[in-house]
Amino acid sequence: MRTLVPLLALIPLLSACSSHDGDTNQSSSQNNSNVTMTSPHSGNLSDGAALTGGDFARNENALRFIDYMVDKHHYDRSQLEYWISHAKRLDSVISLMDRQAPTPSSRPSGPTGAWLRYRKQFITPDNIKNGVAFWQQHATALDRAYQLYGVPPEIIVGIIGVETRWGRVLGKTRLLDALATLSFDYPRRSEYFSRELETFLLMARDEHVDAHELRGSFAGAMGYCQFMPSSYKSFAVDFNHDGHINLWDPEDAIGSVAHYFQANGWTPGDAIAIRGNGQALGLKYGFENRYPVQALTAAGLKPTKSLGTHTEASVLRLDVGTNYEYWYGLSNFYTITRYNKSVHYSMAVWQLGDAVKHAVEESNTSTRVASNY
């Protein structure tokens, strides 16, 4: 089988991952009209259901999943049984997922510097330097993605930088182990992760790769851009035209991120967020809530520059320690939140990408000046 990532065993722990694990209702691209089961966890076990060993040998969810894949996708049963019998149940994955579960928390009464602490994880001199190197190495692909999808290089670079430090932190968990554990032994999200495992195994079959070899995040996110399998299915593209879609290839990842943003409503050339003066008293903060500009003005917030044709915006509040910054969140900012539903994440993507852009421009200027002597 073709190997996408022969060196992934050497990759360090993932430190930043947006799992893109929102539920999806998308159906498989290989639907069969004779399907008898509607879910990987539904239906009766067939007489042929069996696993010869491994951590999931007696797991009925795993056995039903195999029947489902054979019924719906005509997947080779012996191949599935081999892969799943060699998959490992990872207690560490369940523990990490439990930490992601929402828990009640009391909000502090005043600013504590939460945004500054988050920001400094990503926007550092070394990280910007590495981002410049990535941009310069892949400038042609970034420019082509901009021309094709309308998404500027700094946004693509920002996403890949926050997600994987431009390929330096891709994750070391075997994806089959992670997805099998969450599909078969994590009831809280089993339906969702069973669909992700389904799509992951279809990808392995279509791309002729060994499902045991692929590594990524503990939640199943893959490659430079940390797509979940469902995002791979919907948005990943063969951007280097080699006949394969490989998210561990930076060029395919660049094109796939750009395609994701285009499909989620990115408006080429439009602003992302505008700094505000004052504050919006009585209004809810966050990208989920949008208000007419007149309502924001009446609440005490004014933009520091023109909002262009925008007639409504969300109010973004960033805790900078001594006080709060207030921003008008526009439609392109909302599009960034489709990648990860966090104001901090989306602002870090934008500001990191912008910092790298300015550093690239300074480097290009210095190179042109030096060439004149």
Side-chain angles (χ1 to χ4, degrees), residues 272-342:
I272 295 172
I274 302 294
R275 182 75 179 273
N277 281 330
Q279 53 186 312
L281 295 174
L283 301 182
K284 292 183 178 180
Y285 308 122
F287 61 86
E288 307 95 335
N289 308 292
R290 302 186 69 81
Y291 299 97
V293 171
Q294 297 92 327
L296 298 178
T297 302
L301 190 67
K302 295 182 179 180
T304 56
K305 60 181 181 180
S306 172
L307 297 175
T309 60
H310 291 277
T311 58
E312 61 177 20
S314 57
V315 183
L316 312 175
R317 188 175 78 163
L318 299 179
D319 178 348
V320 294
T322 56
N323 53 21
Y324 297 102
E325 289 181 0
Y326 293 88
W327 294 75
Y328 288 74
L330 305 179
S331 56
N332 274 348
F333 187 88
Y334 181 80
T335 297
I336 300 176
T337 68
R338 300 306 85 200
Y339 212 93
N340 184 302
K341 296 176 182 179
S342 161

Side-chain angles (χ1 to χ4, degrees), residues 30-287:
Q30 301 184 45
N31 286 335
N32 183 278
S33 59
N34 296 319
V35 172
T36 58
M37 288 180 279
T38 60
S39 165
H41 281 180
S42 66
N44 297 319
L45 293 176
S46 72
D47 292 338
L51 286 173
T52 57
D55 292 350
F56 301 105
R58 297 177 182 84
N59 188 299
E60 290 194 358
N61 285 334
L63 297 173
R64 287 192 182 92
F65 179 83
I66 291 172
D67 283 346
Y68 169 84
M69 293 294 286
V70 172
D71 261 3
K72 184 174 182 180
H73 301 295
H74 303 295
Y75 219 103
D76 182 81
R77 181 179 293 275
S78 62
Q79 177 70 82
L80 281 172
E81 289 176 350
Y82 173 78
W83 275 341
I84 293 177
S85 68
H86 287 80
K88 301 296 183 184
R89 183 189 185 278
L90 301 179
D91 290 335
S92 60
V93 164
I94 293 176
S95 177
L96 287 166
M97 284 301 299
D98 282 339
R99 292 182 201 172
Q100 309 298 311
T103 56
S105 61
S106 58
R107 292 180 177 271
S109 58
T112 64
W115 162 240
L116 298 182
R117 291 192 298 276
Y118 187 91
R119 186 181 188 274
K120 73 178 183 181
Q121 297 178 64
F122 305 105
I123 305 175
T124 66
D126 283 347
N127 217 23
I128 292 170
K129 179 181 177 181
N130 292 334
V132 169
F134 180 86
W135 185 315
Q136 292 175 335
Q137 182 178 357
H138 301 291
T140 299
L142 289 165
D143 288 343
R144 186 158 56 90
Y146 184 31
Q147 294 301 318
L148 184 61
Y149 297 111
V151 182
E154 60 267 26
I155 295 300
I156 302 170
V157 168
I159 285 286
I160 296 176
V162 169
E163 289 291 344
T164 62
R165 305 302 198 278
W166 302 288
R168 288 171 173 79
V169 191
L170 290 167
K172 70 174 186 179
T173 305
R174 282 203 323 181
L175 291 167
L176 181 61
D177 295 343
L179 291 171
T181 297
L182 295 170
S183 297
F184 308 143
D185 270 345
Y186 193 64
R188 188 171 70 86
R189 301 296 306 281
S190 61
E191 288 289 341
Y192 167 74
F193 281 106
S194 290
R195 293 195 296 271
E196 295 295 334
L197 177 60
E198 174 185 2
T199 305
F200 172 74
L201 289 172
L202 292 173
M203 179 193 78
R205 183 176 70 177
D206 294 346
E207 290 295 326
H208 306 290
V209 297
D210 186 343
H212 286 138
E213 293 185 0
L214 303 179
R215 295 177 184 263
S217 85
F218 70 86
M222 309 181 294
Y224 273 72
C225 51
Q226 291 293 279
F227 273 9
M228 290 297 288
S230 55
S231 291
Y232 165 92
K233 172 186 168 184
S234 298
F235 307 110
V237 296
D238 174 19
F239 205 55
N240 62 7
H241 304 302
D242 68 351
H244 298 282
I245 300 175
N246 177 5
L247 296 180
W248 291 266
D249 177 275
E251 195 165 343
D252 281 3
I254 286 168
S256 298
V257 170
H259 183 216
Y260 186 102
F261 272 83
Q262 182 202 53
N264 280 277
W266 183 266
T267 302
D270 199 8
I272 295 172
I274 302 294
R275 182 75 179 273
N277 281 330
Q279 53 186 312
L281 295 174
L283 301 182
K284 292 183 178 180
Y285 308 122
F287 61 86

